[in-house]
């Protein structure tokens, strides 16, 4: 989200999210720098907490996607209350058939690359595969079902890219370990400067 990844592919437009059909508007604009009318990724640094340099975000700029679209993918929607570990928790229980509710949106994730640990919130689904329950929720560390983008299992925002010190700004070579965490267990850090709480928005 926040940039144009590959307009030539069916899931290449990063201006919208599976949870928000007007994500860029909700977020506050291009999460990068606009050059010749095109939103491009920009490198982020710790100097300003990895925040955008050219806009004021309305939502958390530490965001990511995971390959389980529990709203718009029929298989994921049908099984979400069975495979998502927190489906029976307060605030989630009884929502299995509610097409205006997502179990995934805004959930916190801990990401680790080497000695770098950062946190972000789920704000989209992908890349490329949208019902990979085994990878997202499974045990024994299964590999992603996706075979594109160097078998990527997730996408991260420019802020997370900078925080984790990825070797490439728009690459697919970096690897991370990740896990879901409860909001109460997320430590203080730049990822809490703005916390996204907005619900699903399809308008």
């Amino acid at each position: 989200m926040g940039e144009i990844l590959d307009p030539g592919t069916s899931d290449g437009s990063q201006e919208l999210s599976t949870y928000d059909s007007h994500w860029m508007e909700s977020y506050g604009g291009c999460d990068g720098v606009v050059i010749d009318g095109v939103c491009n990724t920009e490198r982020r640094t710790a100097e300003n907490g990895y925040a955008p340099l050219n806009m004021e975000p309305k939502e958390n700029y530490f965001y990511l996607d995971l390959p389980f679209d529990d709203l718009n993918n029929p298989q994921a929607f049908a099984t979400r209350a069975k495979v998502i570990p927190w489906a029976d928790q307060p605030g989630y229980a009884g929502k299995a058939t509610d097409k205006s509710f997502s179990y995934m949106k805004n959930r916190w994730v801990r990401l680790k690359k080497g000695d770098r640990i950062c946190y972000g919130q789920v704000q989209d689904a992908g890349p490329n595969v949208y019902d990979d329950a085994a990878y997202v929720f499974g045990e024994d560390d299964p590999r992603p079902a996706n075979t594109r983008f160097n078998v990527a299992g997730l996408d991260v925002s420019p802020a997370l890219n900078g925080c984790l010190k990825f070797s490439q700004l728009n690459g697919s070579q970096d690897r991370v370990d990740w896990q879901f965490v409860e909001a109460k267990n997320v430590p203080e850090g730049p990822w809490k400067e703005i916390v996204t709480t907005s619900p699903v928005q399809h308008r």
Side-chain angles (χ1 to χ4, degrees), residues 23-190:
W23 179 86
M24 187 176 284
E25 177 184 337
S26 299
Y27 181 76
C30 167
D31 191 15
V33 56
V34 177
I35 301 175
D36 295 329
V38 177
C39 181
N40 292 271
T41 309
E42 64 182 3
R43 190 166 294 282
R44 305 288 172 78
T45 68
E47 292 182 8
N48 70 334
Y50 307 100
L53 301 174
N54 298 284
M55 54 88 72
E56 292 289 335
K58 300 176 183 177
E59 297 189 337
N60 195 348
Y61 37 94
F62 286 81
Y63 57 83
L64 67 147
D65 67 18
L66 290 171
F68 192 82
D69 180 354
D70 73 314
L71 278 182
N72 300 301
N73 180 277
Q75 175 66 17
F77 182 81
T79 60
R80 63 183 190 165
K82 298 177 182 178
V83 300
I84 296 178
W86 54 88
D88 291 329
Q89 293 180 5
Y92 296 92
K95 301 282 191 178
T97 60
D98 185 349
K99 293 186 177 181
S100 67
F101 179 84
S102 170
Y103 291 83
M104 297 292 291
K105 188 179 188 304
N106 301 334
R107 290 295 297 193
W108 282 97
V109 173
R110 176 184 185 268
L111 302 102
K112 183 177 187 295
K113 181 179 185 292
D115 61 354
R116 304 287 301 177
I117 297 176
C118 307
Y119 294 78
Q121 290 181 274
V122 175
Q123 295 301 333
D124 201 2
N128 195 47
V129 175
Y130 301 94
D131 58 358
D132 195 355
Y135 170 69
V136 178
F137 309 111
E139 300 178 355
D140 301 322
D141 197 25
R143 297 298 80 203
N146 175 41
T147 58
R148 297 177 62 196
F149 313 120
N150 199 22
V151 197
L154 52 78
D155 277 333
V156 301
S157 68
L160 278 170
N161 180 297
C163 183
L164 292 164
K165 294 191 180 300
F166 276 14
S167 61
Q168 298 174 300
L169 188 57
N170 288 308
S172 59
Q173 302 302 313
D174 293 280
R175 293 286 184 265
V176 299
D177 293 318
W178 68 271
Q179 64 186 108
F180 291 110
V181 291
E182 296 294 333
K184 64 182 180 181
N185 296 327
V186 177
E188 293 301 316

